[in-house]
Every structure is written in C-alpha cells, then in structure tokens.
Amino acid sequence: MQPEQPWRQPPPWEEPFPWSTEEPEEAFEATPAALAALRESDAIAEKLVRLLKSLRDMLDADEGLRRRLESLVAAPLGREKPVPGVAVDSTFPIDGGLDLVGGHLVVVVAGYVGFAGACGGTRCSEAHARALLLESEEARKQVPLVAKTLERVLIRRILRQVPRVRMVLVDGELIPYPLVFKSQKAVERSRLLSRLDRVTAEMLREARERGVTLVGVVKRSYSYLLSARLGRRLPLNDKAVMTLLLRPGSYAVAGRFSELLPAYAELVAAQKARQLPPEALDERESIAKQLAEKYREAILGRLARRPSYGEVVVAFYRPSRPANASAVRVEVLDYAGLGLEKILSMLNAMTNPATGLPYPVDLVDEYTRIEARVLELLRRRVVKRLAELLDAYGPGALLVLGHTNPEKRYLYEKPLGRGRGG
C-alpha cells in the first residue's frame, strides 16, 4: 500500500503558520497622520481573523465543499529546464503621471528580456516608450489600455522576429479583463478597447500558428474564480485560498475561462444584489437573476466573438522555495504543446527565492521600470523645445507646462546635493 502523498495531508490552514519573518519596525517621525493610521492595525487584523475563521467554519460544515476544493490539488512539481523564451511587461506611472497646467504628462513603457537561449548565445532585450499629454481625467483612466496594447504589439513583433522562442511570459493577465467582462457593444464603442481586442486576437493567432506557449503571471490577483468552480462564494480570494491550501511545490487547476467566467457572472450578480439597500430586499432575488443574465450574456457574447479567449486555463502553483512563498496565479495558452505540469515545473525551476516569482518576470519588471524623475526630465526637455517653437507667443506660453501642485515637485526631482551613491 502506497503512503499517502504529502499534499493529501491536512491542508496548511489547519496548521500554525510555519514562518515569522517580519522585520522589526523602523523608527520614523510619528506625525499625527502616521499615528492615526497605525491605530487601524487592530481593526485590519480582526477582519482577517474573521475571514480565516469563516473559511474554516465553512469547510468544516460542508465536507463535500472541502473535498471538491482539495481535489483541485495535483501532483507535486518538479524543476523542469525552461525552454527558450522571453518575458514581457508594460508599465506606466502608478500615480497617474506628472500633473501640469496643460494636462497630465504620462510615459508608457513596454519591454522584454530573453531567457534560456531565446536569442542564441547572446542576451536580448528591448524597450519601447510612448509619451502622452492627456487633457482629461477620463483620458488618464485609459492609460492602462494603451500600455496593454503596446505590450501586445511588442509580443506580436517578438513572435515574428525571434524564431527560437517557444514560450512568452507576460507580467500580468493574458486577456485584459475588459475584453471578457464588457459586452461586445461596449468593446465596439471604445476606440481603445477595439484596438486592444484586435491586437490581442492577432497576438493569440500568431502564437498558435508558430507554436509558442503564452503564460500570464498574475502577481496581484483578487479574483474569486475558485468560488465559481465550486459554486459557492468563499470568504477569501483565490490567491489567499490557494496560499493556504497548497504546499510548496504543488499546484491546482481552476479550469478554463469558457467554463469559469459564465459561472463567475452569477456570483458577481448575487454579490451585487446582497449590497442593495434595505428597502430593496424584497426584489433582491429578481434583481440578482436579471444581473446574472446580463453579465452572462456579455461574457458569452465576447467568448463567441473570440473563442480563443475561452481557451485560457487558470492554474495556481506554490513555488518549492522559499518556504513562505505565496501561491502564484497563471493563465496559460499552451500552443507549444508542452503540457501544463511541465510549464508549471519550468516556472518553479525559474523561481527567484527573493520574490517567489519566475526570475525573468522580475528581470523584465526591473527593465521596464521608469523612475518618477524621468517625467520631470522629459518635462524640462519639452519646455526647452517649446521655447524654441513658441518664441512669438512670449515666455507666458511656457506656463502650460508648469506643475499644478508645486508641493509635490519633490517626488519628481532629484534631491540637491546627492549623487548616485548618496
């Protein structure tokens, strides 16, 4: 009789946490705002305890639910040698860019780094940037779509120009979520969404034709797709549940978008119905049904328009090292036919022990990072050129490139008296 496999033992949520690696608090100036923020620590801790207790109580009360959840866990991962590939990322100023009198100055960057001999015996990397002067808050909200489009244009170019590539790691989701959660009409009405949809579909078609596997490594994941798979809303998000469920070196498969997303629509509708004001409680059930039908129709319409989107497989794995690594969510389109377990074993082998993520993803994240100070340097170059072009308008015209909030200039300017080693 074979011994029980380690991942079939009582799950980690029934054991004490095996790590305590928090560093001691650093001394800092205790401003009134800082003290007010720190007083919230107890409330946050108590909320997390309630959520963890709710999950445990739910699984204790429903043995079938517990078995279905634990049945998702698959055999432990090996450390497979990675195939030649590239990691791709795009970025933009998280704070919205530089606020100027004439608009928001934003830079969007997309780049890649090769790994495992993707470019023969040489290192390969490339970065592209677009600078935008946006004139409204609504336009600034569209910057993530511009970044995703630039990223997918770059991937399409890689697929055509780097013939050795068999895998592309994307820092983030494979299919931008507005393309699956918005209706076909909403996508068609938006020029940016329409272009992103077209470029994404072309990227997938190119990868399929060339036999290149695409993997999205979703670092910040707050989805509840596991709840859709299980048919019951869990108290914690997917990443949290899988971090508690998986042991180092194991993985779980949630399923394909084509089966997960329509079910997810019903969960979202039920959640929105629960948030209705008290006077609408009598209509909660009918409203939930209407919302569920609306969301399902939107998702099914998009998947019918783009069947390849529905082929995305969602999986989670917990790296073999470090011991306190959290679960990583991945979205996979295995056009190279490598096999999901082999793909996850490659990612496991490429784990950076400092972050718990595949090291190419960390490398490209660093490669595409743009410091806030660059925006100020860009602004000054624009000012210089503008002065040459607008001589007839007088120096007053340059005021349109002044900071709207001078108090925040320090965020974008290098401190005086400090060199590179300062």
Side-chain angles (χ1 to χ4, degrees):
M1 181 176 177
Q2 292 186 342
E4 251 191 303
Q5 300 296 342
W7 61 91
R8 296 299 184 194
Q9 300 297 322
W13 61 57
E14 296 184 351
E15 303 170 356
F17 287 109
W19 63 83
S20 181
T21 58
E22 297 299 323
E23 297 180 358
E25 293 183 6
E26 295 181 5
F28 69 100
E29 183 182 356
T31 64
L35 291 173
L38 290 174
R39 284 195 292 269
E40 293 295 299
S41 60
D42 286 352
I44 296 298
E46 289 164 6
K47 178 179 180 179
L48 286 172
V49 167
R50 287 196 302 271
L51 291 173
L52 289 166
K53 185 177 184 300
S54 178
L55 177 63
R56 175 178 289 183
D57 291 346
M58 179 184 292
L59 297 176
D60 286 346
D62 191 337
E63 185 62 29
L65 180 67
R66 174 190 285 267
R67 283 198 300 268
R68 293 200 306 277
L69 179 58
E70 293 180 353
S71 70
L72 299 178
V73 180
L77 296 170
R79 297 176 60 81
E80 191 79 27
K81 182 179 178 181
V83 296
V86 297
V88 182
D89 189 20
S90 63
T91 189
F92 52 89
I94 195 66
D95 58 358
L98 200 58
D99 291 328
L100 306 177
V101 174
H104 308 289
L105 183 62
V106 178
V107 172
V108 178
V109 178
Y112 75 89
V113 294
F115 61 87
C119 301
T122 61
R123 293 182 58 185
C124 57
S125 58
E126 191 177 0
H128 299 269
R130 284 190 62 192
L132 309 168
L133 186 63
L134 307 175
E135 299 175 358
S136 68
E137 287 294 330
E138 190 60 34
R140 186 156 62 168
K141 293 176 183 177
Q142 305 300 315
V143 170
L145 300 181
V146 176
K148 292 297 181 185
T149 301
L150 185 61
E151 183 179 272
R152 277 142 186 77
V153 168
L154 178 59
I155 293 172
R156 194 176 56 186
R157 182 183 304 174
I158 292 167
L159 293 170
R160 294 172 179 174
Q161 297 180 359
V162 189
R164 290 175 59 90
V165 167
R166 293 194 65 206
M167 177 186 291
V168 174
L169 299 183
V170 180
D171 188 346
E173 70 274 13
L174 276 187
I175 313 299
Y177 299 142
L179 298 185
V180 288
F181 288 112
K182 288 186 177 291
S183 68
Q184 181 66 29
K185 289 183 178 179
V187 172
E188 291 173 350
R189 280 197 303 265
S190 167
R191 180 180 59 83
L192 285 175
L193 273 179
S194 295
R195 182 163 190 257
L196 178 58
D197 184 42
R198 175 177 57 79
V199 171
T200 299
E202 290 172 356
M203 176 192 76
L204 300 188
R205 183 166 59 250
E206 196 87 32
R208 182 193 293 273
E209 291 173 355
R210 297 178 184 276
V212 176
T213 289
L214 303 176
V215 180
V217 180
V218 188
K219 294 184 289 191
R220 289 172 292 277
S221 174
Y222 304 104
S223 63
Y224 284 81
L225 293 178
L226 288 173
S227 299
R229 171 70 184 265
L230 299 171
R232 185 171 177 184
R233 173 83 177 212
L234 300 177
L236 292 169
N237 64 56
D238 297 337
K239 188 178 181 75
V241 171
M242 281 301 172
T243 298
L244 293 171
L245 176 65
L246 296 176
R247 296 179 180 277
S250 63
Y251 74 99
V253 183
R256 294 180 182 273
F257 269 0
S258 58
E259 57 191 7
L260 292 174
L261 296 186
Y264 189 57
E266 297 185 10
L267 286 174
V268 172
Q271 181 72 10
K272 285 186 176 291
R274 282 194 292 270
Q275 296 170 353
L276 291 172
E279 58 269 22
L281 292 183
D282 293 341
E283 304 175 60
R284 176 180 289 176
E285 187 174 344
S286 63
I287 292 175
K289 288 182 179 179
Q290 292 173 19
L291 288 174
E293 184 177 350
K294 175 184 175 182
Y295 297 155
R296 280 178 59 88
E297 183 179 343
I299 290 171
L300 291 174
R302 289 298 299 142
L303 296 182
R305 177 72 178 87
R306 302 292 189 193
S308 56
Y309 293 178
E311 296 171 0
V312 172
V313 174
V314 179
F316 298 83
Y317 75 97
R318 192 162 163 207
S320 299
R321 56 177 186 149
N324 63 344
S326 59
V328 180
R329 171 179 163 170
V330 292
E331 298 177 0
V332 180
L333 282 170
D334 185 19
Y335 293 142
L338 300 172
L340 182 61
E341 185 172 328
K342 186 174 181 179
I343 292 168
L344 297 179
S345 294
M346 291 178 189
L347 299 181
N348 187 42
M350 291 190 288
T351 297
N352 179 353
T355 64
L357 295 166
Y359 76 83
V361 173
D362 286 334
L363 285 176
V364 75
D365 181 75
E366 185 68 28
Y367 185 70
T368 58
R369 184 173 300 167
I370 180 166
E371 296 185 20
R373 194 168 67 241
V374 172
L375 287 172
E376 174 61 17
L377 295 176
L378 175 61
R379 185 190 74 88
R380 293 182 184 185
R381 288 196 176 191
V382 175
V383 167
K384 180 181 178 182
R385 180 58 177 155
L386 196 62
E388 298 170 355
L389 296 174
L390 296 180
D391 183 59
Y393 291 85
L398 299 180
L399 292 176
V400 297
L401 287 179
H403 292 267
T404 58
N405 188 355
E407 292 180 355
K408 296 294 185 182
R409 287 181 64 174
Y410 72 92
L411 295 172
Y412 302 95
E413 295 181 345
K414 187 174 183 180
L416 295 175
R418 291 184 62 183
R420 288 190 177 181

